[in-house]
Amino acid sequence: MDQNALKKLVGEYALKYVNDDDMIVGVGTGTTVKYFIDALATIKHKIQGAVSSSEASTALLKSYGIHVYDLNSVDKLDIYVDGADEIDHNLNMTKGGGAALTREKIIAAVAKKFICIADESKYVGVLGAFPLPVEVIPMARSYVARQIVKLGGTPVWRENVLTDNGNWIIDVHNLQILNPVEFEQKLNNIVGVVTNGLFAARGANELVLGRANGQVEVIKR
Ligand code: 5RP
C-alpha cells in the first residue's frame, strides 16, 4: 500500500476511539489527521464537537459542521488524535512538520489519551533523521540558533513560515536523539523557545500504525 493509502487507513481506524456519545474530540494537524477528520464527519451527530490544534484543522472541521470548542471552555478531554513526523518504539515523537506543534502540545497535555496515527515510514529506532521543529519568538531566532549549535544540532530557519501564534520555526538537522526526555528539557530551557517538537515528557499512549502490507497494528506504551 502506498503512504497515502496507509494514512487513510489509520485515520479511519482511529474512529474506534470515539466511542462515547457526546464526546469532545481532540484533533491534531496534518495530512494523516485530515483522513481522521473526514471519518469523524461521518459520525458528527454522535459527538459534541472538537478542540483543534490549528487554523487548518479548525477550518476543515467547521466545513463539516463540527463544532470547534475553545480549549479554555473544556475541562475534560478523553482523547487526542494526531500524527507524527517520527515515532520511536517507546512512543516518543517528533512533531511540527506542519508548524502546529505548540497548540498540539497544549492539547496533548490536556488529553487523557494521545492516540498517534502513522504509517510505517514514521516508525523509527532513534528520533532525529526528520529535522526537529522548534517554534521561537522572532526576535530570539539567532540566539536560539546559536544555543542549538552548542547542543550539537544544525539549525535552519524555515523562512516564510509564520505559525498560527505569530512565531517562527527553526528546523534542527543532524540529530540523533538518544535521550528524548532530557533533550526536550534542554531545548525548553533556551530563552526564546516557545515549544519544541519533541513529545517525550508526554508521548503517545497508543500508536495506530499502518504497516506497508496494509495491516493495522496497535502498539501501547
Ligand atoms: C503538524 C504535525 C503533524 O502531525 C506531522 O507533521 C505529521 O504530518 P503528516 O500526517 O502530514 O505526515 O506535527 O505540526
Side-chain angles (χ1 to χ4, degrees):
M1 253 182 168
D2 71 21
Q3 191 184 26
N4 227 33
L6 290 174
K7 287 182 179 193
K8 186 166 189 286
L9 186 71
V10 294
E12 289 173 352
Y13 186 96
L15 216 51
K16 284 191 198 265
Y17 294 88
V18 187
N19 48 19
D20 265 353
D21 279 354
D22 280 343
M23 233 179 173
I24 295 179
V25 182
V27 174
T29 297
T31 53
T32 314
V33 163
K34 185 198 167 294
Y35 290 115
F36 174 66
I37 297 175
D38 292 345
L40 200 58
T42 65
I43 57 154
K44 67 176 179 187
H45 52 282
K46 288 193 181 165
I47 62 170
Q48 230 186 95
V51 290
S52 164
S53 61
S54 64
E55 300 298 331
S57 290
T58 297
L60 187 58
L61 287 159
K62 285 185 173 169
S63 76
Y64 279 127
I66 297 173
H67 185 76
V68 178
Y69 287 85
D70 180 331
L71 186 64
N72 290 310
S73 67
V74 172
D75 51 15
K76 177 175 157 286
L77 192 61
D78 289 323
I79 59 159
Y80 176 54
V81 177
D82 200 355
D85 296 314
E86 290 183 330
I87 179 160
D88 72 16
H89 298 187
N90 295 315
L91 307 197
N92 303 303
M93 294 165 283
T94 60
K95 294 181 45 54
L101 60 161
T102 297
R103 296 188 188 188
E104 291 173 345
K105 215 175 228 191
I106 294 168
I107 301 180
V110 174
K112 270 198 210 139
K113 252 189 178 182
F114 187 132
I115 314 299
C116 179
I117 50 177
D119 64 87
E120 194 168 9
S121 70
K122 311 278 186 76
Y123 194 48
V124 299
V126 177
L127 301 172
F130 189 97
L132 176 67
V134 178
E135 180 166 350
V136 298
I137 299 289
M139 73 174 284
R141 176 178 60 83
S142 297
Y143 169 74
V144 171
R146 290 195 294 275
Q147 303 312 304
I148 286 171
V149 170
K150 289 183 193 163
L151 294 178
T154 306
V156 178
W157 178 24
R158 204 187 296 178
E159 287 187 65
N160 305 318
V161 169
L162 194 66
T163 70
D164 285 347
N165 313 304
N167 297 315
W168 288 350
I169 296 283
I170 292 174
D171 291 308
V172 186
H173 294 247
N174 299 323
L175 291 174
Q176 256 213 320
I177 305 171
L178 299 174
N179 192 337
V181 174
E182 192 185 307
F183 198 64
E184 181 179 3
Q185 192 61 58
K186 280 186 179 164
L187 288 169
N188 280 340
N189 283 345
I190 302 173
V191 175
V193 167
V194 177
T195 310
N196 73 79
L198 251 177
F199 285 55
R202 201 283 182 256
N205 299 94
E206 293 190 25
L207 165 62
V208 176
L209 184 66
R211 292 287 189 186
N213 63 6
Q215 299 289 312
V216 172
E217 192 179 334
V218 177
I219 299 165
K220 297 186 183 178
R221 196 173 197 146

